[in-house]
Amino acid sequence: MISRRLIASRSPFQQIGRSPMAIRRSTNNTTTTTAKDAATKSETIAAKPSSTTTTAAEESTKSFAERNPFIFQLGVATAKTSAADIMVQVVVEKKKWNEIDLKRNGIFVVFGFAYLGGFQYWLMVNKFNKWFPTRARFATLTLGEKLKDTAGMIDALKMVAFDVFVHLPLIYFPCYYTCKEIVTGTSWNPLVWMKDGVTKYWNNKEEDCLAMIKLWGPSDCIQFSMPIHISMPFRHLVSFFWTAYVSFTRGGSNEEDNKLKRTLSVSGDSAKIEK
């Protein structure tokens, strides 16, 4: 009975085998450790920049061409195409500034904006990235690394072959000649534009395709190894000289066409030809 009373009279701290001082020390140590951990986490968060801040900083260091590749190359394509035709008219054909054929120059402005800046970007950036998956990675490699990357080189050669043997002869030239007929033609019928344009291309196909292969074959090998935001402006730069060639050889209308007058009906379905 006495031993039971002694046990019951002990304090809770004595019953669990620890003194009040030990309990206080343990509590203080736990509190101190928690505070240190919280301070460490706060310093880590403060030292580490947020992803939003990092992205904004990276964007601010990029050039306009890197941040807006489509808009940049669209402006280059349009301005370059117009400038090349004006250069040919003034320098090669010896025209005065007030004698520049604005209608002819309009062909190149429309074609440079819609086809070279619009369609070609869709084809050579959007579609080529899907058809040739190694392109983006291959473009970032050094020259030595490119020479060791067999898959990347094969895709680059495929892009060159597609451009030279499919895109330029089967899409580019028919579109250019059709666009020319829209501006300089005498009919309002779209089918006539296409027919006359393709017919003129077919008559010039050997000369045009030979010149195209000589220029675009080598330049494509360089273009398709460049980063995306540089490759299209580079193409437009090369295209300046190509546009000058096309403007000089194909820009004007035929003498026989200049001798014709067509009185078109309102619907454009019929025409009377007078010589």
Side-chain angles (χ1 to χ4, degrees):
M1 183 66 69
I2 295 173
S3 62
R4 290 179 179 176
R5 290 177 180 175
L6 291 174
I7 293 173
S9 64
R10 292 180 181 178
S11 66
F13 300 109
Q14 292 173 332
Q15 292 179 15
I16 63 176
R18 300 177 65 183
S19 66
M21 184 61 70
I23 295 296
R24 292 193 189 95
R25 289 177 180 175
S26 177
T27 304
N28 291 338
N29 291 338
T30 303
T31 304
T32 303
T33 302
T34 303
K36 289 182 178 179
D37 291 342
T40 302
K41 290 181 179 180
S42 299
E43 291 176 359
T44 303
I45 294 174
K48 184 179 180 180
S50 64
S51 59
T52 304
T53 305
T54 304
T55 303
E58 291 176 352
E59 287 293 324
S60 64
T61 59
K62 291 181 179 180
S63 64
F64 179 82
E66 291 178 281
R67 288 183 279 111
N68 305 278
F70 174 73
I71 296 175
F72 177 73
Q73 65 85 37
L74 184 66
V76 172
T78 306
K80 170 271 309 178
T81 311
S82 176
D85 175 59
I86 291 176
M87 181 194 72
V88 169
Q89 293 195 51
V90 173
V91 177
V92 179
E93 299 176 7
K94 306 298 182 181
K95 291 183 179 180
K96 297 180 180 179
W97 286 97
N98 59 355
E99 296 175 342
I100 291 177
D101 188 344
L102 297 180
K103 190 174 182 180
R104 164 179 155 179
N105 189 253
I107 302 173
F108 293 95
V109 171
V110 172
F111 190 74
F113 178 86
Y115 188 91
L116 302 181
F119 175 78
Q120 278 196 159
Y121 186 91
W122 172 82
L123 176 66
M124 297 187 175
V125 176
N126 296 347
K127 304 308 292 184
F128 273 21
N129 285 345
K130 294 181 180 179
W131 297 342
F132 311 104
T134 64
R135 184 190 181 187
R137 174 184 57 77
F138 185 75
T140 61
L141 301 178
T142 63
L143 179 60
E145 292 172 335
K146 284 184 172 70
L147 295 176
K148 298 177 182 178
D149 188 350
T150 304
M153 292 182 66
I154 291 175
D155 272 355
L157 291 175
K158 287 180 180 178
M159 287 186 281
V160 173
F162 184 91
D163 187 39
V164 172
F165 297 111
V166 178
H167 166 233
L168 290 172
L170 301 182
I171 303 176
Y172 167 82
F173 276 121
C175 287
Y176 166 73
Y177 278 96
T178 300
C179 183
K180 178 185 174 184
E181 289 302 310
I182 294 174
V183 179
T184 63
T186 53
S187 172
W188 294 103
N189 190 336
L191 295 178
V192 175
W193 299 336
M194 296 177 63
K195 178 183 176 182
D196 291 349
V198 172
T199 300
K200 290 179 180 179
Y201 165 53
W202 185 256
N203 294 333
N204 300 325
K205 65 182 183 302
E206 294 181 0
E207 182 182 355
D208 287 347
C209 289
L210 180 60
M212 172 265 296
I213 292 174
K214 289 180 179 179
L215 177 64
W216 290 111
S219 68
D220 278 355
C221 294
I222 300 174
Q223 176 192 345
F224 295 129
S225 64
M226 289 180 164
I228 302 299
H229 69 281
I230 300 177
S231 64
M232 291 306 294
F234 171 79
R235 185 179 184 87
H236 298 323
L237 176 63
V238 176
S239 181
F240 178 88
F241 301 99
W242 172 255
T243 302
Y245 161 78
V246 174
S247 173
F248 179 67
T249 59
R250 305 287 180 256
S253 56
N254 297 330
E255 292 183 2
E256 183 178 351
D257 293 339
N258 291 333
K259 296 178 182 178
L260 300 179
K261 289 184 179 180
R262 298 197 178 191
T263 307
L264 303 176
S265 67
V266 176
S267 63
D269 293 331
S270 61
K272 180 182 179 181
I273 301 178
E274 298 178 356
K275 291 187 179 180

